[in-house]
Amino acid sequence: MRLVLVANARSGSATDAGEIASRLRAHGADVTLLDIGEAERAADGRPDRIAVAGGDGSIGLVARTAARAELPLAVIPSGTANDFARALELPMELDAACALAADRAAHTTEIELAHAAERPFVNAASCGLSVIAARRAAPLKPRLGPLAYAIGALRAGASGRPIEARVTADGEPVHDGPAWQVVVGATGAFGGGSSLEAADPRDGLLDVAIMAAGSRAALVRHAWGMRFGRITEQSGVTHARAHRIEVHVPAGTRWNVDGEVCTLEPATFAAERGAVAVVVPR
């Protein structure tokens, strides 16, 4: 098994690239190690498989390379939230993840690769309170791990303000007005345990949920819904599924894309169905 490992040593606290490469070799893989900044080179030489070690924000970049090269992608979750691994029920324990990545006979499942403004992602992109929550969580992650996301969300709900958003799904208007948050989902997993439960990464469609602005008390109900997979069923939340989703927000609006804060201009979302073959347990 010739395997290229792309590792992001800046993700979480458990991405020791040398240790991960050693474990992969112990499971029989011939490993070439690259840094996340070299992700586009991962398919050079046509390895049998590409593996990515890092947080959710690293997976989309490597998944794009794997998709273009039509190579399987193995995920070794070593970030803080690891929402993608949770969504696909991948091994969380390091040695088990390495054993799966090096298993030549492992199965694969095809999932969509989402993108906006040429930025690929696998879980979710959101604007509004989720960006504030990500910023508030960032300094807490080294000490609190996934709990930092819940604390960040509480602080965002107490101080954040709605944003003006106009959303269309395949050209049809679905929302026009102030919103606490807009979430566009592929797997739909985000925030260290929250989810857009209706999202299916295998259907080639994106899901969008818009939480209309209202009382701060309603945010507690929305937070509960996101944590327990019932957000799209709640009043005050608009849900749509489409091939193409456009979100019109004020210029300079920041987005949380798989845990990374950035701008998306234009914020036009689409997904490639079955673009990535992810290695999964048998």
Side-chain angles (χ1 to χ4, degrees):
M1 165 71 72
R2 293 172 54 248
L3 188 151
V4 172
L5 169 64
V6 183
N8 186 353
R10 296 170 291 283
S11 291
S13 59
T15 310
D16 184 331
E19 169 67 13
I20 293 170
S22 294
R23 289 179 182 250
L24 289 167
R25 292 181 180 116
H27 287 289
D30 177 4
V31 180
T32 299
L33 178 60
L34 298 178
D35 180 76
I36 189 65
E38 304 172 292
E40 292 187 356
R41 293 179 42 216
D44 292 357
R46 298 298 302 177
D48 298 307
R49 186 173 293 170
I50 298 174
V52 55
D56 292 311
S58 303
I59 296 172
L61 296 173
V62 184
R64 178 171 60 186
T65 299
R68 288 173 175 174
E70 297 183 345
L71 291 172
L73 178 71
V75 174
I76 300 168
S78 58
T80 303
N82 299 317
D83 287 314
F84 182 77
R86 173 173 56 83
L88 266 66
E89 299 182 337
L90 302 177
M92 293 289 195
E93 193 273 325
L94 178 58
D95 198 61
C98 289
L100 177 62
D103 182 0
R104 185 180 294 275
H107 294 177
T108 61
T109 185
E110 293 184 347
I111 67 162
E112 64 201 28
L113 180 62
H115 54 86
E118 299 186 359
R119 184 184 181 97
F121 65 96
V122 291
N123 288 331
S126 57
C127 63
L129 293 184
S130 62
V131 175
I132 302 171
R135 287 174 171 162
R136 299 292 177 85
L140 303 175
K141 290 195 292 185
R143 182 163 49 93
L144 300 179
L147 180 60
Y149 292 97
I151 295 174
L154 287 172
R155 292 179 175 177
S159 62
R161 301 179 66 180
I163 61 171
E164 288 294 325
R166 178 165 55 88
V167 183
T168 65
D170 285 340
E172 295 295 322
V174 294
H175 177 86
D176 190 355
W180 286 118
Q181 187 162 300
V182 178
V183 183
V184 179
T187 71
F190 66 99
S194 296
S195 67
L196 184 56
E197 76 282 3
D200 180 353
R202 299 172 180 86
D203 64 5
L205 299 172
L206 292 173
D207 288 69
V208 60
I210 306 103
M211 284 157 256
S215 70
R216 291 194 188 275
L219 289 175
V220 176
R221 178 167 51 84
H222 292 333
W224 183 269
M226 287 187 291
R227 183 61 56 171
F228 292 96
R230 292 190 295 274
I231 185 63
T232 60
E233 301 172 1
Q234 293 185 345
S235 62
V237 177
T238 300
H239 169 245
R241 180 178 288 120
H243 291 96
R244 180 183 176 91
I245 293 168
E246 297 179 72
V247 183
H248 302 272
V249 288
T253 295
R254 305 288 276 175
W255 288 79
N256 180 348
V257 182
D258 282 354
E260 305 288 337
V261 176
C262 63
T263 56
L264 296 175
E265 295 177 350
T268 300
F269 300 86
E272 303 169 53
R273 183 173 187 175
V276 189
V278 179
V279 177
V280 295
R282 283 180 277 179

